[in-house]
């Protein structure tokens, strides 16, 4: 059965974004030397790059998803944990009066953005906009269905990595235009505004631990603070964490992957949470088992974003197609009714349990559906021409609103539906089982035998991996091998790939008194075979025990 949170846990106070003095950084970062060094480095490199000190440094943690893979974009709850490893974004916002003295100065206002990173693979980016023009374009871009103009028109000017920063900046501008128009106008008109960003991160990239969303969240936090700050008012109440999580999820899609919002939400809320997306975004802390979580990178970079139409976004669309087939199978529909296009909604309406729906799927849903079958099924006819108008019609019927999804409909010859559905339904069921075993509000069974619960959680993890690998086909040879190694290791209760997959990390649940033996086993049985040149120098960059960490915040320079 679907589990629905009664309401967002925590008071509204918890929903405000923290602006904390740098002097409390040590405490906030759990006294982690590496994170404190990274915070310092962001400030130092900012000073070097721009010749003045930053006003603020925003921090956003990466995450490891414990269970609930590829189900957030289908509307189902997930269970991620915020990591200590974070992206730091140092920022300054400075104004100079425009030279002109005409009465209509607003049209002349300009916004200049400087974006730099400490990573040698990330070339700097510098761009200037006419404020009225860009705000106009952003308010016209229908918030969810259009990609913002800046990525399309000047794509060649922007290095790939900077899209994550730019999408956050534009997401914030769009939001403030709606919620804080007076402050925004006061800030940006009539003058020349320069915002400088310096990014420094410790989250491993392409590892499925969400360095991308940490970058988006840190940039968004930095931008909103820089734009709304003034000497006499605190920014903390300007925009809530919940608004911020939704905003960051939405604007990261502009970069091209149709993700569900788990990464941005956990980076903002922090620690270990059950995150619910439907009917509204909400979160509830989960008390973990007295065990440790070890993250091991396969050292194969995930290629989910390269060729997204064949990997990540293909899966998103397959779920939409599968939803349509399942709906057709179980929903009695009147002529004017439409089918639900979100699996969560379909499951809710069906009044069936996940297990019952899995049984229906096994029995009645075809393994694959061809392009022609999909057209016939959804539109009632197939056409010779697979043109844009047809794709748009198909997309609207399936609830696919954005260009990245339409791209899949244009190129795909067939869709795997039954197996994708079996993964999503069983994974959503496993999340609820996991949650009650951890003693969430669903089932506070204090008498539960601890050892037994631990074993059951381990089994859920292994099953989740098998489901990702076999049904969702988002694992890889290296990931399967690493997961297998982790499963054999002493102290291991269970393990699974984490994040979108096709490379990246495995997360393992390990008895706390056997972590050293566990790591030694993985070292000799997985990492020893990988040449030193292909490994980061520090082992802690690819194999580490997680520290559930606080969510994103903004440090204020003294
Ligand atoms: P990663 O692999 O961290 O980028 C992606 C999506 C999540 C979720 C997972 C799969 C984004 C930003 N993130 O995570 O929303 O769908 O895959 O569970 O698209
Ligand atoms: Mg990502």
């Amino acid at each position: 059965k679907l589990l629905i949170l009664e309401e967002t846990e925590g008071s509204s106070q918890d929903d405000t974004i923290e602006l904390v003095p740098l002097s409390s950084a040590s405490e906030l970062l759990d006294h982690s030397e590496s994170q404190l060094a990274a915070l310092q480095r962001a400030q130092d490199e900012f000073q070097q790059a721009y010749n003045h000190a930053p006003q603020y440094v925003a921090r956003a943690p990466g995450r490891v998803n414990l269970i609930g893979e590829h189900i957030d974009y289908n509307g189902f709850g997930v269970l991620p944990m915020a990591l200590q490893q974070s992206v730091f974004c140092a920022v300054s916002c400075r104004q100079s009066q425009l030279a002109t003295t005409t009465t209509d100065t607003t049209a002349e206002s300009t916004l200049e953005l400087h974006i730099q990173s400490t990573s040698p693979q990330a070339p700097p980016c510098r761009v200037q906009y006419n404020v009225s023009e860009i705000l106009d374009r952003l308010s016209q871009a229908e918030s969810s269905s259009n990609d913002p103009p800046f990525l399309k028109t000047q794509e060649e000017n922007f290095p790939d990595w900077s899209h994550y920063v730019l999408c956050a900046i534009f997401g914030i501008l769009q939001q403030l235009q709606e919620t804080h128009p007076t402050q925004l106008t006061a800030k940006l008109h009539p003058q020349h505004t320069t915002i400088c960003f310096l990014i420094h991160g410790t989250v491993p990239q392409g590892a499925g631990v969400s360095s991308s969303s940490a970058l988006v969240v840190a940039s968004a936090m930095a931008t909103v603070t820089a734009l709304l700050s003034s000497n006499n008012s605190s920014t903390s109440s300007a925009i809530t964490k919940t608004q911020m999580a939704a905003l960051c999820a939405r604007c990261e899609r502009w970069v091209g992957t149709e993700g569900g919002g788990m990464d941005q939400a956990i980076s903002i809320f922090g620690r270990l949470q059950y995150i619910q997306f439907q009917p509204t975004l909400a979160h509830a802390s989960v008390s973990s088992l007295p065990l440790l979580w070890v993250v091991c990178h396969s050292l194969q970079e995930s290629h989910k974003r390269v060729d997204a139409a064949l990997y990540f976004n293909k899966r998103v669309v397959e779920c939409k197609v599968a939803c349509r087939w399942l709906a057709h199978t179980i929903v009695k529909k009147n002529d004017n009714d439409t089918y639900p296009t979100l699996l969560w909604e379909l499951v809710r309406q069906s009044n069936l349990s996940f297990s019952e729906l899995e049984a229906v799927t096994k029995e009645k849903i075809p393994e694959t559906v061809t392009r022609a079958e999909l057209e016939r099924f959804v539109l009632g006819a197939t056409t010779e021409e697979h043109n844009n108008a047809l794709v748009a019609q198909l997309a609207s019927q399936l609830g696919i609103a954005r260009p990245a999804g339409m791209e899949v409909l244009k190129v795909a010859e067939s869709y795997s539906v039954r197996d994708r559905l079996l993964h999503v339904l069983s994974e959503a069921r496993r999340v609820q089982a996991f949650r009650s075993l951890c003693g969430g509000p669903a089932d506070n069974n204090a008498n539960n035998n601890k050892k037994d619960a631990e074993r059951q959680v381990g089994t859920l993890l292994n099953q989740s991996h098998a489901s990702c690998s076999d049904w969702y086909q988002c694992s890889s040879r290296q990931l399967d091998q690493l997961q297998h190694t982790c499963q054999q290791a002493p102290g291991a209760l269970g393990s699974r790939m984490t994040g979108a997959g096709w490379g990246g990390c495995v997360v393992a649940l390990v008895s706390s008194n056997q972590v050293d033996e566990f790591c030694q086993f993985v070292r000799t049985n997985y990492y020893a075979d990988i040449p030193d040149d292909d490994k980061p120098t520090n082992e802690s960059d690819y194999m580490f025990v997680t520290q559930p960490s606080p969510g994103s915040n903004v440090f204020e320079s003294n």
Side-chain angles (χ1 to χ4, degrees), residues 210-213 252 263 304:
S210 217
S211 60
S212 68
S213 300
E252 191 172 339
D263 306 346
K304 60 179 183 261

Side-chain angles (χ1 to χ4, degrees), residues 18 78 89 101 116 124 142 210 212 227 248 251 260-261 326 355-356 365 387 422 432 443 446 469 523:
E18 283 171 90
V78 295
C89 176
T101 49
Q116 291 198 35
E142 198 198 313
S210 217
S212 68
L227 282 175
C248 288
C251 68
L326 185 61
S355 309
E356 286 166 326
I365 301 298
N387 59 23
L422 287 174
Q432 303 310 344
D443 176 7
S469 183
R523 201 174 287 133

Side-chain angles (χ1 to χ4, degrees), residues 63 68-70 72-73 208 210 213 252 257 259-264 304 312 499-500:
R63 64 99 182 94
E69 219 61 80
H70 288 281
D72 60 347
Y73 51 79
S210 217
S213 300
E252 191 172 339
T257 38
M262 137 169 82
D263 306 346
Q264 300 85 356
K304 60 179 183 261
F312 194 90

Side-chain angles (χ1 to χ4, degrees), residues 38-356:
L39 170 62
Q40 187 60 49
R41 178 141 178 230
Q43 297 171 77
D44 295 347
E45 299 248 0
F46 186 101
Q47 171 76 44
Q48 252 196 344
Y50 300 115
N51 254 316
H52 62 275
Q55 292 164 293
Y56 305 98
V57 186
R59 178 194 66 93
R63 64 99 182 94
V64 56
N65 188 19
L66 302 185
I67 197 159
E69 219 61 80
H70 288 281
I71 63 171
D72 60 347
Y73 51 79
N74 290 302
F76 298 109
V78 295
L79 255 152
M81 177 200 287
L83 296 174
Q84 224 169 31
Q85 289 87 334
S86 299
V87 169
F88 295 87
C89 176
V91 69
S92 74
C93 178
R94 298 185 305 163
Q95 259 100 15
S96 52
Q97 220 56 44
L98 287 168
T100 55
T101 49
T102 52
T103 38
D104 180 29
T105 41
T106 44
E108 308 277 329
S109 300
T110 44
L111 172 63
E112 192 175 325
L113 304 171
H114 295 225
I115 306 169
Q116 291 198 35
S117 157
T118 56
S119 159
Q121 287 95 45
C125 164
R126 189 179 173 147
V127 61
Q128 183 169 313
Y129 292 102
N130 175 309
V131 170
S132 308
E133 201 182 296
I134 194 71
L135 290 182
D136 242 30
R137 278 155 78 187
L138 282 169
S139 65
Q140 278 161 24
E142 198 198 313
S143 47
S144 65
S145 68
N146 273 330
D147 286 346
F150 67 94
L151 290 178
K152 269 184 211 145
T153 51
Q154 302 188 36
E155 198 155 11
E156 60 283 358
N157 296 338
F158 301 133
D160 222 35
W161 76 277
S162 69
H163 289 191
Y164 293 94
V165 182
L166 287 165
C167 77
I169 298 169
F170 286 97
I172 292 292
L173 284 175
Q174 202 181 50
Q175 164 89 21
L176 292 182
Q177 210 178 357
E178 224 168 81
T179 55
H180 297 72
T182 330
Q183 285 102 313
L184 191 64
T185 309
K187 189 79 178 187
L188 297 178
H189 292 304
Q191 43 202 336
H192 179 75
T193 307
T194 309
I195 311 184
C196 298
F197 298 86
L198 191 287
I199 310 286
H200 178 64
T202 59
V203 187
Q205 289 174 31
V209 289
S210 217
S211 60
S212 68
S213 300
L215 177 53
V216 170
V217 171
S219 306
M221 290 279 193
T223 306
V224 78
T225 312
L227 282 175
L228 290 186
S229 65
S230 65
N231 297 336
N232 49 16
S233 83
S234 146
T235 55
S236 58
S237 59
I239 166 169
T240 66
K241 287 184 183 175
T242 306
Q243 280 175 320
M244 194 67 160
L247 181 153
C248 288
R250 178 164 59 77
C251 68
E252 191 172 339
R253 289 189 200 112
W254 293 338
V255 177
T257 38
E258 291 292 292
M262 137 169 82
D263 306 346
Q264 300 85 356
I266 190 63
S267 183
I268 288 166
F269 297 124
R271 308 274 191 207
L272 174 51
Q273 307 265 1
Y274 173 71
I275 310 240
Q276 164 195 293
F277 304 97
Q278 297 291 337
T280 52
L281 179 64
H283 61 100
S285 281
V286 171
S287 50
S288 184
L289 302 161
L291 299 164
L292 291 173
W293 295 90
V294 181
V295 170
C296 312
H297 193 339
S298 66
L299 299 177
Q300 177 195 20
E301 265 203 32
S302 173
H303 54 258
K304 60 179 183 261
R305 224 172 72 74
V306 189
D307 286 331
L310 299 178
Y311 297 99
F312 194 90
N313 295 337
K314 177 73 187 283
R315 294 295 178 277
V316 177
V317 170
E318 282 176 327
C319 288
K320 293 288 185 200
V321 175
C323 182
R324 182 49 168 265
W325 245 267
L326 185 61
H328 187 82
T329 312
I330 62 175
V331 175
K332 293 206 179 23
K333 177 171 158 296
N334 298 320
D335 278 355
N336 292 326
D337 295 351
T338 49
Y339 285 119
T341 55
L342 185 68
L343 275 168
W344 180 87
E345 181 58 31
L346 176 63
V347 173
R348 195 187 63 83
Q349 283 184 19
S350 77
N351 276 319
L352 297 172
S353 70
F354 288 120
S355 309
E356 286 166 326

